[in-house]
Amino acid sequence: MPFNSDLTVAAQEVLFANSDKKSAEFDFISPENNRVLVRAEVYVGKDILDSKPVEKTFHKLIYKNDDSLVRIGDTGWLRPGEILKNLRFDELPNRSCQITIHYTAVNPLNEKVNAGSFDVNTMLYVVDFKGNMLNENGEWVNVKY
């Protein structure tokens, strides 16, 4: 996913979150030719989260004008040439849903200098890897073939 000449990233297109480990295989790559530090943050609608006042309050402090999305996980900064295999979530949604992954880049010499950002909308499926998945209504369904 190239954003500009300084920022290119690659990652899984759809995420399958392990409900027990609260993590997903992400395969987030910052190519060696990047000239920036890059991170990914995962956002979900707050109505899809169970009541967690700490995360919602934290979001409200940072995004005062946005009541719709809450950050549920992030990668931290990756340097050019680094790969992050798994993404750990602070909290999982109570059903499979659409998420927004926000990619941000900063200058490696001064992290206060923004080098660009972009969003990718995709799906997050919450699964237990025993053949069950949370559907869009928050019900566990058997998806074994």
Side-chain angles (χ1 to χ4, degrees), residues 62-75:
I62 294 176
Y63 303 100
K64 294 181 172 123
N65 298 323
D66 182 9
D67 287 334
S68 61
L69 297 176
V70 176
R71 189 183 80 175
I72 59 171
D74 72 274
T75 62

Side-chain angles (χ1 to χ4, degrees), residues 68-135:
S68 61
L69 297 176
V70 176
R71 189 183 80 175
I72 59 171
D74 72 274
T75 62
W77 295 109
L78 268 69
R79 298 188 178 286
E82 289 185 331
I83 299 171
L84 179 78
K85 293 293 288 172
N86 293 307
L87 171 65
R88 184 138 176 85
F89 295 98
D90 300 325
E91 178 179 7
L92 285 177
N94 55 24
R95 59 184 173 254
S96 294
C97 61
Q98 184 171 337
I99 58 172
T100 298
I101 303 175
H102 180 73
Y103 294 94
T104 306
V106 294
N107 184 315
L109 301 176
N110 182 351
E111 292 183 16
K112 294 181 181 180
V113 177
N114 187 323
S117 66
F118 65 95
D119 292 342
V120 173
N121 293 319
T122 188
M123 289 297 294
L124 173 68
Y125 295 99
V126 180
V127 297
D128 67 1
F129 288 98
K130 297 175 189 163
N132 299 306
M133 176 181 83
L134 280 175
N135 67 13

Side-chain angles (χ1 to χ4, degrees), residues 41-61:
E41 298 173 294
V42 178
Y43 290 89
V44 69
K46 73 176 185 176
D47 59 323
I48 298 174
L49 295 174
D50 291 330
S51 181
K52 299 283 185 186
V54 174
E55 285 88 351
K56 290 182 181 182
T57 302
F58 177 73
H59 176 79
K60 188 67 175 168
L61 290 172

Side-chain angles (χ1 to χ4, degrees), residues 7-66:
L7 171 60
T8 300
V9 297
Q12 293 285 346
E13 290 184 33
V14 175
L15 298 182
F16 293 89
N18 184 321
S19 62
D20 294 333
K21 296 180 181 179
K22 290 195 337 187
S23 66
E25 208 172 283
F26 193 44
D27 297 326
F28 181 43
I29 300 168
S30 177
E32 288 187 23
N33 63 340
N34 270 354
R35 292 182 273 174
V36 294
L37 300 178
V38 63
R39 73 183 282 157
E41 298 173 294
V42 178
Y43 290 89
V44 69
K46 73 176 185 176
D47 59 323
I48 298 174
L49 295 174
D50 291 330
S51 181
K52 299 283 185 186
V54 174
E55 285 88 351
K56 290 182 181 182
T57 302
F58 177 73
H59 176 79
K60 188 67 175 168
L61 290 172
I62 294 176
Y63 303 100
K64 294 181 172 123
N65 298 323
D66 182 9

